[in-house]
Amino acid sequence: MSVISADHEILAIHGGQPTRTTLLPYGRQSIDESDIAAVVEALRSDWLTTGPKVSEFEEAFAAFVGAKCAVSFSSGTAALHGAAFAAGLQAGDEAITTPLTFAATANCVLYQGATPVFADVEPDTLNIDPEQVASRISPRTKAVLPVDYAGHPAELDELLRFADRHGLVVIEDACHALGADYKARRVGSLTHMTVFSFHPVKHVTTGEGGMVTTDNPWFAETLRRFRNHGIDSDARARHAAGQWHYEMILLGFNYRLSDIACALGIRQLSKLEANLARRRQIAARYHQAFREVPSIRPPAVRDYADPAWHLYPIRLRLEELSRTRDQVFQALRAENIGVNVHYIPVHLHPYYRDRFGYKGGEFPVAEDAYQRLISLPMFHGMTDADVSDVIAAVGKVLSHFADNAVAV
Ligand SMILES: Cc1ncc(COP(=O)(O)O)c(C=O)c1O
């Protein structure tokens, strides 16, 4: 059944009643009393940072994704920087990544003085295309950074096989994909290093925060040093040993995640399975509502994937509409549906254009998707009524803007 209704209510953008009276954001954290109690307990403890909650969170996280090691960071961006450092990226090196991501994925390569090289995405999942990666390799390539866009895992086995052949490190940006499965295996245990974010719109939040998981103890040790000024021991280990002596052995940063944040992360992680189940229910309702709407291309799900649904990005079939994506976006905002766009392709940001001379047209699949993408609200705290509001508003707006609709 189509959600496009025949009756043409007046759009809010044209002075009609909005679908909702309050704005529904595209993403939002869920904090309950148990989260608050956990933070208060951490505040009352002896350790506000570098204490026991850090290793407790890291161990619980590693167990959840099935990795040997997890190293926490002060943000997903800091975690990406750590992974780029541990991979040995430096001036003169290249790392291949997708243009359809948040800028931090490519920026971490620049932080190391290396050069990000973009490879276009696959038309269905909008994840990096392994064939395009192969065409971008050079003697300077040292790493590949796939992104699990919207929470759908990239073609990891193909990328790993390719990386193996060429001696590359795969740093998977799974900031969207905590809890996703790839061929019945959990994201976080599959590539050389996998990076997560705990920003409030993500599946688990610590306010700001990030994590790298790895099975490689050398990467883990390097990551721990890098986030702690490059120092060879941590404060708690020195305290336990009654020692003061430490040495700085590499140039690191203060990228530590506090015990206050980790206490919140531990509580949040314990609710992750329920949160994922709710996101999957919401995605199923959207799929059901939108799959036969001519002007909507819902996100694709490959057989091998059980996505984590950080985002629900639809693509508009603009050929069926009399308006642009931005006009549809404005009309949905006026209906109080907090839509968003993920992402302006990284190479089109002014910084990348100025520095590398990109002009547009280099990555046609990502650029075409960008013209059409709208992320609908997707977070585990959404009620059934919220989901119905989104479906109703999308139907209302698109029925007005369908090519054959009477102009208002
Ligand atoms: C794909 C991707 N990579 C990296 C990041 C950076 O994470 P953070 O905001 O925790 O620094 C984000 C955050 O939005 C992201 O979506």
Side-chain angles (χ1 to χ4, degrees):
M1 195 193 70
S2 167
V3 296
I4 304 284
S5 58
D7 58 330
H8 278 201
E9 299 162 82
I10 300 171
L11 296 184
I13 202 167
H14 296 143
Q17 282 293 322
T19 307
R20 293 170 58 93
T21 51
T22 55
L23 183 75
L24 178 69
Y26 90 93
R28 194 185 193 291
Q29 72 277 12
S30 293
I31 298 291
D32 65 21
E33 288 306 318
S34 73
D35 295 304
I36 293 167
V39 170
V40 169
E41 193 188 319
L43 286 170
R44 293 204 167 105
S45 78
D46 290 339
W47 296 91
L48 297 189
T49 191
T50 69
K53 289 291 172 200
V54 179
S55 32
E56 192 182 331
F57 183 37
E58 290 174 341
E59 280 159 25
F61 196 92
F64 181 86
V65 301
K68 290 205 177 101
C69 315
V71 182
S72 59
F73 278 82
S74 53
S75 68
T77 304
L80 279 166
H81 188 186
F85 176 86
L89 281 176
Q90 56 187 336
D93 293 336
E94 294 176 353
I96 304 174
T97 191
T98 164
L100 202 66
T101 184
F102 186 57
T105 318
N107 291 350
C108 74
V109 178
L110 294 177
Y111 296 159
Q112 283 304 110
T115 304
V117 171
F118 296 104
D120 210 349
V121 295
E122 303 197 88
D124 60 339
T125 59
L126 302 179
N127 281 325
I128 198 165
D129 181 340
E131 279 181 23
Q132 292 294 320
V133 172
S135 75
R136 313 289 291 169
I137 186 133
S138 87
R140 289 139 72 106
T141 311
K142 209 170 218 173
V144 184
L145 289 93
V147 172
D148 301 321
Y149 177 75
H152 186 297
E155 234 323 337
L156 301 173
D157 280 349
E158 266 185 60
L159 293 168
L160 282 165
R161 270 195 300 276
F162 179 79
D164 244 18
R165 270 201 306 280
H166 296 278
L168 313 177
V169 179
V170 178
I171 301 170
E172 180 187 354
D173 181 339
C175 287
H176 296 183
L178 177 55
D181 283 344
Y182 172 82
K183 299 185 182 170
R185 291 171 293 149
R186 193 136 268 184
V187 161
S189 63
L190 307 173
T191 54
H192 303 129
M193 284 180 273
T194 311
V195 176
F196 298 91
S197 161
F198 307 131
H199 179 275
V201 294
K202 301 299 194 312
H203 302 76
V204 157
T205 189
T206 58
E208 298 282 359
M211 192 76 82
V212 184
T213 57
T214 181
D215 281 349
N216 179 320
W218 187 85
F219 282 151
E221 192 53 33
T222 306
L223 290 161
R224 281 193 198 101
R225 287 176 174 161
F226 185 75
R227 72 158 178 210
N228 189 30
H229 308 278
I231 289 172
D232 62 351
S233 64
D234 71 28
R236 195 154 60 100
R238 287 197 300 278
H239 177 82
Q243 293 284 344
W244 63 269
H245 185 262
Y246 65 88
E247 289 179 334
M248 184 198 127
I249 53 175
L250 54 86
L251 185 61
F253 290 78
N254 178 352
Y255 278 160
R256 297 183 303 251
L257 191 61
S258 71
D259 280 58
I260 305 165
C262 288
L264 178 56
I266 294 163
R267 275 303 306 153
Q268 289 265 305
L269 194 61
S270 72
K271 295 177 280 185
L272 177 55
E273 290 289 7
N275 157 353
L276 286 162
R278 178 63 185 149
R279 285 173 186 262
R280 287 174 179 142
Q281 273 173 358
I282 296 168
R285 273 197 70 195
Y286 282 160
H287 277 319
Q288 176 68 22
F290 299 139
R291 71 190 168 163
E292 280 168 22
V293 178
S295 53
I296 294 179
R297 181 172 178 182
V301 179
R302 290 203 180 165
D303 292 347
Y304 64 67
D306 194 0
W309 297 112
H310 163 52
L311 302 173
Y312 191 90
I314 59 168
R315 269 178 282 176
L316 298 175
R317 293 189 203 273
L318 295 170
E319 304 71 19
E320 308 281 338
L321 296 169
S322 57
R323 307 292 159 99
T324 63
R325 185 274 315 280
D326 287 344
Q327 288 170 317
V328 173
F329 179 99
Q330 293 304 340
L332 285 168
R333 275 289 176 102
E335 299 295 335
N336 276 323
I337 305 299
V339 283
N340 211 323
V341 173
H342 297 91
Y343 291 95
I344 178 163
V346 179
H347 67 289
L348 298 181
H349 283 294
Y351 181 85
Y352 278 84
R353 285 179 187 261
D354 292 349
R355 182 159 170 184
F356 297 103
Y358 291 114
K359 295 195 161 22
E362 290 89 355
F363 306 104
V365 183
E367 290 174 31
D368 177 73
Y370 167 57
Q371 298 300 328
R372 300 165 182 273
L373 280 166
I374 290 192
S375 299
L376 301 181
M378 169 57 86
F379 55 97
H380 46 285
M382 281 176 78
T383 64
D384 288 344
D386 292 334
V387 181
S388 299
D389 285 345
V390 176
I391 293 170
V394 168
K396 180 177 168 189
V397 166
L398 292 184
S399 66
H400 272 263
F401 290 171
D403 227 359
N404 57 359
V406 183
V408 185

